[in-house]
Amino acid sequence: MNASEVLAGIWRHAGLPEEALSFARLTGADPVLPSSFAVGTAAQSTMAAAALAACELGHLRGTGRQLVGVDMLHAALECIGWFSLDGQVPDQWDAFSGLYRCADGWVRVHANFAHHRDGALRLMKLDPSTATRADAEAAMATWRARDFEDAAAAAGLVATALRRFDEWDATPQGQAVAAQPLFTIERIGDAPPLALPPLREDERPLSGLRVLDLTRVLAGPVGGRALAAYGADVMLVNSPHLPNIPAIADTSRGKLSAHADLRTEEGRAALQQLVADAHVFVQGYRPGGLEALGFGPAALAEQRPGIVCVSLSAYGTRGPWASRRGFDSLVQTAMGFNHAEGEAAGDGKPKPLPMQILDEATGYLIAFGAAAALWRQQREGGSWQVRVSLAQTGHWLRGLGRVPGGLSIAKPGLAPYVETTASGFGELAALRHGAMLERTPPAWPRPSMPPGSHAARWPAVMQ
């Protein structure tokens, strides 16, 4: 299946106008990065879907349609997530993150947040203040893989056992994921079409739209960054007590960045004021987390009739793992990708995909789903909910088929695609956006800034 066919499948599932597909220009073909999976197609098709949906919403607002071009290599390289600050590339993986050999297999541990790392080490019966990676490897060798996976989940930690595809398919969670579509867009309440500000031909297609981005790790922030590139005013809302990963410097391009502590009445009131004028609310906290604070989809639709709510999870909304925490690297491991990639490499070692494509593709599906639901809101009225998950994206990626000889190609250079800008984190070098809009090029006029740099209120003059 080529990328144009994949894009058409995404587009039609959202119920968007068929004639808009003729404005997409996709170039290149897999393999573009060393992988036996169609990671280039996944990157290109989801990015093109997001950009095209933004343009279709712009067309509904009165502007002409415009060509959207996405080159597969550029899209795939952007999804690597490379960046540097003041000439230094941050180390994005903790020393304790990664694969561990167990008594009967392998487990991948995600330790990039200190509380997850320390919890995993304590589960291994190690002292987090003195343990070394060698200590952790020795401790893990005494565990059975599935036992550690279950114990970690029970403790609210993040680790998964390595599985083959057939082993994943046999699990209740694998079957629950396989029964779900790539994403869902559903109406969750009645409301008239929201009044959107008029749009000029020279304005980016999402100009004048306000997006609240309550996400923290990669997929959600990538989605918000894409919406900002197409003109939306995106406000990243962080809690001052929660840690962030280094990639926030890259994924905050084009966004406002505010603090709101939702544990406090003041923080909840600030977010409610933001919701009152928002068009989209994107959240990636564990299932039920924001509902308990009064910001679930049903409550948001009551507070702001006509809003589009986008919810991101690791394993979807059904099955025994629906409430389980997860990250891209863990979902790859659990679902069989690492085993299959290692098998294709022929060296007997589990091998990760060349980028966190489940996060990245899901991020562009977030942007796509938000724009598509806004298009439907303008046509039909109502409040809307979009649901995506890393596991559903993984199941879809697997369905794109394998790429014979894909692991044999060399990893291409990044230099032609890098741009350097000032930021609140230092001089930021990162990848230019891979979607080209013929009339209104994507842009991030707001510099990337640390959390809490802006007030938790919409500025009087929007960009």
Side-chain angles (χ1 to χ4, degrees):
M1 188 182 300
N2 65 41
S4 293
E5 294 170 329
V6 176
L7 168 61
I10 296 170
W11 192 259
R12 290 165 184 153
H13 182 60
L16 297 176
E18 186 78 12
E19 58 269 24
L21 287 169
S22 65
F23 286 80
R25 300 288 185 270
L26 307 186
T27 56
D30 276 309
V32 290
L33 292 181
S35 177
S36 68
F37 290 91
V39 294
T41 297
Q44 181 185 39
S45 61
T46 53
M47 187 180 295
L52 195 64
C55 291
E56 191 60 18
L57 181 59
H59 177 58
L60 188 64
R61 295 170 68 189
T63 66
R65 288 191 170 107
Q66 58 179 313
L67 294 178
V68 172
V70 182
D71 177 71
M72 185 180 290
L73 175 58
H74 189 170
L77 290 176
E78 185 177 354
C79 289
I80 289 176
W82 180 92
F83 71 98
S84 69
L85 293 170
D86 295 327
Q88 301 296 314
V89 178
D91 186 355
Q92 299 198 53
W93 292 101
D94 185 88
F96 287 97
S97 289
L99 279 170
Y100 290 83
R101 188 179 287 278
C102 296
D104 63 343
W106 298 82
V107 162
R108 185 177 293 278
V109 174
H110 194 284
N112 283 14
F113 290 128
H115 63 293
H116 288 157
R117 179 191 64 222
D118 293 352
L121 291 171
R122 292 189 185 100
L123 190 59
M124 299 175 201
K125 309 299 184 187
L126 297 174
D127 182 347
S129 65
T130 60
T132 65
R133 174 73 188 224
D135 294 334
E137 290 174 352
M140 288 298 292
T142 68
W143 279 84
R144 294 176 64 85
R146 306 286 176 84
D147 289 346
F148 190 85
E149 177 185 78
D150 290 342
L157 304 173
V158 277
T160 55
L162 180 83
R163 289 175 175 80
R164 301 187 309 266
F165 280 142
D166 63 316
E167 291 175 323
W168 170 255
D169 293 343
T171 66
Q173 191 59 41
Q175 292 164 12
V177 169
Q180 299 301 300
L182 174 58
F183 59 88
T184 58
I185 300 177
E186 62 176 337
R187 183 173 175 144
I188 59 171
D190 293 329
L194 290 175
L196 302 183
L199 187 67
R200 300 191 313 267
E201 287 285 331
D202 62 346
E203 288 184 298
R204 289 174 293 156
L206 300 186
S207 294
L209 299 180
R210 299 183 180 101
V211 177
L212 287 169
D213 179 357
L214 276 78
T215 65
R216 298 175 56 237
V217 181
L218 216 50
V222 164
R225 185 184 64 191
L227 292 169
Y230 309 142
D233 284 283
V234 178
M235 182 178 290
L236 177 64
V237 180
N238 255 290
S239 178
H241 74 282
L242 293 176
N244 289 289
I245 61 174
I248 194 171
D250 172 34
T251 58
S252 291
R253 284 183 283 170
K255 301 179 186 180
L256 300 159
S257 191
H259 272 152
D261 188 345
L262 301 186
R263 300 173 303 176
T264 69
E265 186 175 337
E266 180 184 13
R268 292 191 295 273
L271 184 57
Q272 285 172 344
Q273 286 188 325
L274 291 168
V275 167
D277 292 312
H279 301 94
V280 177
F281 186 103
V282 184
Q283 71 89 18
Y285 288 90
R286 62 181 176 79
L290 287 183
E291 279 88 343
L293 296 170
F295 295 99
L300 289 168
E302 186 174 341
Q303 295 173 44
R304 170 64 160 161
I307 198 167
V308 169
C309 303
V310 185
S311 298
L312 163 70
S313 63
Y315 293 103
T317 60
R318 299 184 185 179
W321 287 19
S323 61
R324 189 169 290 196
R325 294 173 173 87
F327 298 98
D328 181 303
S329 59
L330 302 180
V331 179
Q332 284 189 33
T333 301
M335 292 187 71
F337 286 100
N338 289 179
H339 177 270
E341 195 83 311
E343 195 173 49
D347 60 5
K349 298 178 182 177
K351 183 178 177 63
L353 298 175
M355 73 283 232
Q356 295 182 73
I357 188 60
L358 306 187
D359 265 329
E360 296 281 347
T362 303
Y364 289 110
L365 289 172
I366 286 171
F368 168 74
L374 282 169
W375 185 91
R376 294 183 66 173
Q377 203 284 328
Q378 288 296 290
R379 291 285 299 267
E380 307 170 32
S383 301
W384 294 80
Q385 181 171 21
V386 179
R387 288 193 180 99
V388 296
S389 78
L390 302 184
Q392 286 163 269
T393 299
H395 183 75
W396 167 80
L397 171 63
R398 181 178 162 191
L400 299 182
R402 305 296 287 275
V403 181
L407 282 165
S408 65
I409 70 163
K411 190 173 181 178
L414 299 174
Y417 306 95
V418 173
E419 63 181 9
T420 301
T421 57
S423 84
F425 299 89
E427 185 180 69
L428 172 64
L431 278 291
R432 299 192 317 274
H433 187 48
M436 303 293 108
L437 276 57
E438 179 187 34
R439 190 176 63 248
T440 58
W444 291 299
R446 289 192 174 104
S448 175
M449 297 296 291
S453 293
H454 301 98
R457 59 177 178 268
W458 297 112
V461 179
M462 311 299 282
Q463 289 190 6

